[in-house]
Amino acid sequence: MDAEILWFGWFRADIIQEYAELFWTGLRMTVGVTVVCILQGTLLGLVIGLARLADARHAVAKTACRVLLRWPATVYVSFFRGTPLFVQILLMHFAVVPLFLNPADGWLISGDLARDLRQDYGALITGIVSLTLNSAAYISEIFRAGIQSIDRGQMEAARSLGLSHARAMYHVVLPQAFRRMLPPLGNNAIALLKDSSLVSAVGLAELAYAARTVAGAYSRYWEPYLTISVMYWLLTLGLAWGVRHLEARYGRGDSR
Amino acid sequence: MGAAIRVEHLSKRFGRLEVLRDVSCAVAEGEVVCIIGPSGSGKSTLLRCMNGLEEASSGQVFVHGVAVHDRATDLDTVRREIGMVFQRFNLFPHKTVLENITLAPGLLRGLTAAEARERAEALLAKVGVLEKRDAWPNQLSGGQQQRVAIARALAMQPKIMLFDEPTSSLDPEMVGEVLAVMQALAEEGMTMAVVTHEMGFARRVADRVLFLDEGRLLESGTPAEVFAQPRHERTRQFLSRVL
């Protein structure tokens, strides 16, 4: 027991130093994947959120909206929120990606190119696609709630001026909804940043992967994992600060 | 020239609730029509059917001859010619007063930013809130907000104005300023349909008064006729309570 405490006091910074390059590469990968997935997830989330709210004036179009937009979007959200992200990543990596990128008969790309892509970028593709799809499901719910929280009179006032539904959404409803969505979007971004560590399981060289590599090489665990913990922590603190800053900047004029 | 608005056998149901029952009426070019009646009588629904904010269950509304509740009709085009003012103002809280007014004309009437601004300022001067042009809506009193909302609707240069209880959520001391703006508009010859509880306004400004009760149109006549010699007992009861 005494030896353990002594060991903790004896934090071997030289290990971190030796692998600084690996941690740095991992950090850039984590940040890069997170940023790309937040942007893509927000766009896809907006589309899915709007699809879940789709409705029309006339009976035929009403049914079409329900069957072609609302139901698929609801099933999508339900699946990605109702299954573990870790399982989604494994499914993506070992089942879905090989379906699309396959040397023999890929649905998207075949031949040598498919082999090379999977070899060099397989984990990255898996990571970006599964994190995007997953966060889009959560973000679509944020959009839906944000849009629904805007008073119906706003849409009616815009429509009564002659604006189309799309223009009323774009100029009147979405800007107001976006402000209310900032806090939950920030939380989602923080969750995404942390969840990106799961992709290390399929070999994406990000922060958690770097820590695992170091741990494997030295059989030392405090140094690598404490290091990346502090790095994740700083990143999430920075994100939270950024979101608060945005809220302060765009919060004006919201009376309700 | 026919009627600006013609309502023909309009019925509206929300589920099993019949809000409008076979209502037919018309608003002539340049006419000011006030729609009165107890709450829940279908007044607002009737007004909202006129610009298609509410779908008709059956019947039809014609605005300058165009069938509003026809699926082939482009409602956005019809609505450009019909201004609407709401009980709760519904100003856009994320836009300044000026931006509230210039948004639609800039997008739909092809005005340049300078033209839209000029028009907006002229209208703000007209409704008496020009000094608030750069304020946010939540910095305005209710009366000021409603006058801005009127200016916003007028900026599209509509041929018809619909008012849905425009003074009902105002503090009493602010009712007058909004009614004055509406009266000035009426005197300029604007075609207006006004749902209101302000009987004084209806008596003073309306060319015709419609009385609705339980979704039925019971009276239609000049203010003198409806207020002095109502034909129905229900109208008499209602007027005795509100006058």
Side-chain angles (χ1 to χ4, degrees):
Chain A
M1 204 63 197
D2 283 351
E4 291 247 302
I5 292 163
L6 185 66
W7 175 86
F8 176 62
W10 214 26
F11 186 91
R12 282 188 55 188
D14 62 296
I15 295 179
I16 308 303
Q17 241 160 8
E18 185 187 339
Y19 281 94
E21 190 67 29
L22 189 62
F23 283 110
W24 175 238
T25 312
L27 175 69
R28 281 192 322 220
M29 180 60 83
T30 290
V31 171
V33 165
T34 303
V35 169
V36 167
C37 292
I38 287 173
L39 294 178
Q40 293 185 149
T42 303
L43 278 181
L44 184 60
L46 173 62
V47 172
I48 295 167
L50 289 174
R52 289 202 74 181
L53 293 169
D55 204 356
R57 273 170 71 204
H58 301 294
V60 178
K62 238 183 165 65
T63 310
C65 278
R66 192 168 65 229
V67 175
L68 298 177
L69 293 171
R70 287 214 302 270
W71 287 356
T74 306
V75 171
Y76 178 96
V77 171
S78 170
F79 175 79
F80 281 97
R81 298 207 313 166
T83 55
L85 174 58
F86 190 59
V87 174
Q88 291 166 23
I89 289 170
L90 296 178
L91 192 66
M92 182 63 64
H93 194 68
F94 296 112
V96 179
V97 170
L99 211 57
F100 286 88
L101 306 180
N102 201 311
D105 55 346
W107 289 3
L108 203 61
I109 300 172
S110 306
D112 289 344
L113 180 61
R115 181 170 34 245
D116 293 348
L117 272 178
R118 265 176 54 197
Q119 201 138 50
D120 299 341
Y121 301 107
L124 182 62
I125 293 169
T126 296
I128 288 184
V129 172
S130 40
L131 288 175
T132 296
L133 294 182
N134 182 269
S135 64
Y138 286 92
I139 291 175
S140 76
E141 285 294 276
I142 297 174
F143 269 101
R144 187 169 70 108
I147 290 169
Q148 283 179 329
S149 78
I150 302 301
D151 184 62
R152 212 161 59 103
Q154 291 290 308
M155 178 56 92
E156 290 183 348
R159 297 304 305 274
S160 78
L161 289 164
L163 267 64
S164 64
H165 183 87
R167 275 179 156 165
M169 263 294 167
Y170 181 78
H171 290 283
V172 175
V173 176
L174 283 180
Q176 295 180 60
F178 184 66
R179 274 166 210 198
R180 294 188 191 178
M181 286 164 15
L182 271 175
L185 279 179
N187 288 340
N188 188 73
I190 287 168
L192 182 61
L193 175 74
K194 295 186 294 182
D195 288 347
S196 69
S197 62
L198 290 173
V199 189
S200 66
V202 296
L204 183 68
E206 40 69 79
L207 268 182
Y209 185 85
R212 209 169 57 174
T213 306
V214 174
Y218 277 86
S219 296
R220 305 275 302 189
Y221 301 98
W222 277 102
E223 288 87 351
Y225 286 116
L226 193 60
T227 303
I228 65 161
S229 295
V230 170
M231 290 166 94
Y232 277 117
W233 194 15
L234 290 176
L235 286 174
T236 54
L237 281 176
L239 253 179
W241 179 85
V243 171
R244 267 203 310 278
H245 190 70
L246 280 176
E247 277 175 58
R249 188 161 151 207
Y250 291 107
R252 59 183 192 171
D254 193 351
S255 58
R256 280 173 242 263
Chain B
M1 206 64 188
I5 304 173
R6 204 167 73 246
V7 177
E8 290 187 351
H9 303 290
L10 185 68
S11 292
K12 174 69 183 175
R13 284 178 298 276
F14 290 112
R16 290 173 62 193
L17 183 70
E18 285 189 86
V19 184
L20 291 175
R21 306 172 197 224
D22 194 29
V23 172
S24 296
C25 60
V27 180
E29 210 65 62
E31 192 179 30
V32 177
V33 171
C34 281
I35 305 168
I36 63 171
S39 52
S41 61
K43 312 182 292 291
S44 287
T45 305
L46 172 59
L47 198 75
R48 290 161 59 84
C49 282
M50 289 179 179
N51 68 350
L53 276 187
E54 216 68 76
E55 255 180 280
S57 299
S58 64
Q60 189 54 273
V61 176
F62 296 93
V63 172
H64 292 121
V66 177
V68 172
H69 299 275
D70 184 329
R71 59 188 306 176
T73 299
D74 178 14
L75 264 182
D76 297 339
T77 312
V78 177
R79 285 176 179 147
R80 288 177 204 180
E81 314 300 330
I82 313 175
M84 184 156 195
V85 175
F86 299 85
Q87 180 178 349
R88 298 283 324 277
F89 327 136
N90 295 348
L91 291 181
F92 308 136
H94 62 304
K95 293 187 176 294
T96 65
V97 165
L98 213 52
E99 289 165 350
N100 261 274
I101 302 175
T102 55
L103 176 69
L107 288 173
L108 305 174
R109 296 292 198 207
L111 298 194
T112 65
E115 288 167 341
R117 188 185 169 90
E118 199 175 321
R119 184 186 287 183
E121 287 179 338
L123 286 167
L124 282 174
K126 182 173 163 174
V127 300
V129 281
L130 182 57
E131 76 281 3
K132 297 289 184 187
R133 76 191 110 179
D134 295 316
W136 299 99
N138 63 1
Q139 297 170 319
L140 271 54
S141 73
Q144 289 169 330
Q145 287 192 51
Q146 193 59 300
R147 285 184 284 155
V148 170
I150 293 173
R152 177 175 71 179
L154 290 175
M156 285 297 286
Q157 301 189 323
K159 300 188 175 68
I160 299 168
M161 285 286 286
L162 307 177
F163 293 85
D164 188 4
E165 304 199 28
T167 58
S168 293
S169 49
L170 292 177
D171 290 336
E173 75 267 24
M174 291 169 187
V175 169
E177 64 195 50
V178 171
L179 292 182
V181 168
M182 292 168 60
Q183 181 159 3
L185 203 56
E187 281 159 7
E188 286 169 22
M190 176 63 79
T191 306
M192 292 166 52
V194 185
V195 170
T196 187
H197 293 291
E198 296 293 329
M199 295 305 145
F201 177 83
R203 200 193 288 260
R204 204 165 61 243
V205 180
D207 298 306
R208 219 143 42 77
V209 173
L210 308 180
F211 175 74
L212 251 69
D213 184 58
E214 293 181 345
R216 287 198 181 79
L217 180 63
L218 291 189
E219 307 267 355
S220 168
T222 64
E225 287 166 358
V226 173
F227 286 114
Q229 298 137 1
R231 301 194 341 252
H232 286 80
E233 179 56 29
R234 278 293 299 139
T235 320
R236 243 187 298 274
Q237 286 170 357
F238 173 74
L239 290 174
S240 71
R241 281 203 311 272
V242 298
L243 286 181

